[in-house]
Amino acid sequence: MDDDDLRRGRPTVHVAFDEATAVLAGDALLALAFEILADEPTHPSAAVRAGLVVELSRAAGAAGMAGGQMLDLYPDPNAGLRAVERLQRLKTGALINWSVEAGAILGEAPAAHRASLRGYADNVGLAFQIADDLLDYGGEEAKCGKRLRKDAGQGKCSFVTLLGPAGARAKAEALVEEAIEHLNFADCRSSQLLVEIARFAIARDR
Amino acid sequence: MDDDDLRRGRPTVHVAFDEATAVLAGDALLALAFEILADEPTHPSAAVRAGLVVELSRAAGAAGMAGGQMLDLYPDPNAGLRAVERLQRLKTGALINWSVEAGAILGEAPAAHRASLRGYADNVGLAFQIADDLLDYGGEEAKCGKRLRKDAGQGKCSFVTLLGPAGARAKAEALVEEAIEHLNFADCRSSQLLVEIARFAIARDR
């Protein structure tokens, strides 16, 4: 939809094939995600599998990724920090959140731990997006594998235009520390891995 | 994808809004379908809900609707009857089949009845598509609410171009009778309704 010709250093689907193929590949992959989640090998409990489907459908649909992408199509050049945060929580945050929540659902974690993990994921998702904006502002196209600095010309607000690069960096770092604090309450065997993921979200150069 | 400006007498989404909105509306509605199926109010048994999701994902994805639409995008002007049947079984048949199968899953029908209902649905789906081709050949645009006779100009094969209108009509009628015979084996309370649906599939004028 942003008509980019490159992702991860490779041609995008609509450039390598055509737009209809890209749309159908998206539909087919979306359906495949739900097939895998609902299928028996994923977990012996059907309630767990149905729970994974419900949460992913909400994260992907009108109240998640698709809704956030819709907001992003018609950028408001006067959008403030709260509007940009809301857009990003839907567009990228909801799926990052789901990928953490899915672990909690599969592990049948108690409600209190699920809430802590949601807090962690909310903060990591937003920090990840701020890091994306920082890479778009100061990163290298060869490493990122996509065109950078396109949005500025389209009058889109980002965390960097709103907070400046130093302010955006400071906010991302604060969010990561807050994310890690949430893990103190989630008695989670993989918490060291989750700490490393949170730090990686803003340390990456691509 | 066929760039039609009219469906059921109303402007198509990409004409009323734009292409990106149409794509996102499709993604959001696809996600919503899975959310409804997997959500608790749909059925008390999580295994039933997960089963509905697995079957719909297969019917909608690469081995169903999306795959059939992909075949339809690059029509082979020399396609024979079997190729056209295969395309239509995927493109429209798979979802018609699912809508019958969903009733069997929700009612927790035994395997033998589910097989009979699948046979019924296979035949009705193909008959429905032949009726569509007949309407495209000889129907009224005002009633159908869409542009007709576009495919012929694009070199697409249809049941009418392959069998002629009389042959196509005879094949549709035979399929409907075969569909109804399947119901003799499915001890199904709603079989009278299913008989009427099968007959309606080819009696409709829109």
Side-chain angles (χ1 to χ4, degrees), chain B residues 117 120 183 186-197:
Chain B
L117 286 166
Y120 163 87
L183 298 175
D187 172 31
C188 180
R189 278 182 296 170
S190 52
S191 65
Q192 189 50 42
L193 180 60
L194 292 174
V195 168
E196 284 167 29
I197 288 171

Side-chain angles (χ1 to χ4, degrees), chain A residues 18 21 35 57-58 70 74, chain B residues 18 21 35 57-58 74:
Chain A
D18 57 30
T21 302
E35 180 181 343
S57 62
R58 287 178 184 155
M70 191 72 202
Y74 302 100
Chain B
D18 56 33
T21 302
E35 180 181 343
S57 63
R58 287 177 184 155
Y74 302 99

Side-chain angles (χ1 to χ4, degrees), chain A residues 1 17-21 23-24 26-28 30-32 34-36 38-40 46-51 53-54 56-58 60-62 65-67 69-70 73-74, chain B residues 1 17-21 23-24 26-28 30-32 34-36 38-40 46-51 53-54 56-58 60-62 65-67 69-70 73-74:
Chain A
M1 286 178 192
F17 301 92
D18 57 30
E19 283 188 31
T21 302
V23 170
L24 289 171
D27 291 343
L30 192 55
L32 180 61
F34 290 113
E35 180 181 343
I36 291 169
D39 210 5
E40 288 193 26
V48 164
R49 303 197 304 273
V53 169
V54 167
L56 180 63
S57 62
R58 287 178 184 155
M65 180 182 60
Q69 176 67 17
M70 191 72 202
L73 282 178
Y74 302 100
Chain B
M1 286 178 192
F17 300 92
D18 56 33
E19 283 188 32
T21 302
V23 171
L24 289 171
D27 290 341
L30 192 56
L32 180 60
F34 290 113
E35 180 181 343
I36 291 169
D39 209 5
E40 288 194 26
V48 164
R49 303 198 303 273
V53 170
V54 168
L56 180 63
S57 63
R58 287 177 184 155
M65 180 182 61
Q69 177 67 18
M70 191 71 204
L73 282 178
Y74 302 99

Side-chain angles (χ1 to χ4, degrees), chain B:
Chain B
M1 286 178 192
D2 54 12
D3 205 21
D4 270 1
D5 52 2
L6 218 60
R7 270 295 183 287
R8 295 176 189 81
R10 301 179 64 182
T12 48
V13 180
H14 79 283
V15 167
F17 300 92
D18 56 33
E19 283 188 32
T21 302
V23 171
L24 289 171
D27 290 341
L29 289 170
L30 192 56
L32 180 60
F34 290 113
E35 180 181 343
I36 291 169
L37 294 179
D39 209 5
E40 288 194 26
T42 295
H43 196 283
S45 158
V48 164
R49 303 198 303 273
L52 291 169
V53 170
V54 168
E55 295 301 331
L56 180 63
S57 63
R58 287 177 184 155
M65 180 182 61
Q69 177 67 18
M70 191 71 204
L71 289 176
D72 203 28
L73 282 178
Y74 302 99
D76 173 3
N78 302 315
L81 191 58
R82 292 184 70 87
V84 171
E85 277 192 23
R86 174 164 172 263
L87 185 161
Q88 298 300 352
R89 276 187 203 281
L90 295 175
K91 188 183 161 192
T92 57
L95 280 187
I96 290 177
N97 213 308
W98 181 82
S99 67
V100 174
E101 177 116 26
I105 296 173
L106 282 164
E108 299 178 82
H113 294 175
R114 278 177 67 163
S116 295
L117 286 166
R118 262 198 301 273
Y120 163 87
D122 272 343
N123 289 338
V124 170
L126 207 51
F128 180 93
Q129 185 58 46
I130 295 174
D132 236 41
D133 286 356
L134 284 161
L135 285 171
D136 190 64
Y137 169 81
E140 296 172 37
E141 288 196 348
K143 282 186 178 169
C144 292
K146 64 178 181 179
R147 312 271 171 239
L148 300 176
R149 292 170 277 279
K150 278 184 58 182
D151 284 358
Q154 298 169 4
K156 285 193 186 181
C157 287
S158 79
F159 290 104
V160 173
T161 61
L162 288 165
L163 302 170
R169 167 70 55 194
K171 185 177 170 73
E173 285 168 358
L175 283 165
V176 165
E177 292 314 310
E178 211 179 302
I180 291 168
E181 273 175 43
H182 279 290
L183 298 175
N184 294 334
F185 301 95
D187 172 31
C188 180
R189 278 182 296 170
S190 52
S191 65
Q192 189 50 42
L193 180 60
L194 292 174
V195 168
E196 284 167 29
I197 288 171
R199 297 207 195 283
F200 173 76
I202 62 167
R204 65 202 168 91
D205 65 355
R206 63 196 70 197

Side-chain angles (χ1 to χ4, degrees), chain A residues 62-145:
Chain A
M65 180 182 60
Q69 176 67 17
M70 191 72 202
L71 290 176
D72 203 28
L73 282 178
Y74 302 100
D76 174 1
N78 302 314
L81 191 58
R82 291 185 70 88
V84 171
E85 277 193 25
R86 176 167 171 258
L87 185 161
Q88 298 299 354
R89 275 187 202 282
L90 296 174
K91 188 183 160 192
T92 57
L95 280 186
I96 290 177
N97 213 309
W98 180 82
S99 67
V100 174
E101 178 116 26
I105 297 173
L106 282 163
E108 301 179 81
H113 294 175
R114 278 178 67 166
S116 295
L117 287 166
R118 262 198 302 275
Y120 163 86
D122 273 344
N123 288 338
V124 170
L126 207 51
F128 180 93
Q129 186 58 47
I130 295 174
D132 237 39
D133 287 356
L134 283 162
L135 284 171
D136 190 63
Y137 169 81
E140 294 173 39
E141 288 196 346
K143 282 186 177 167
C144 292

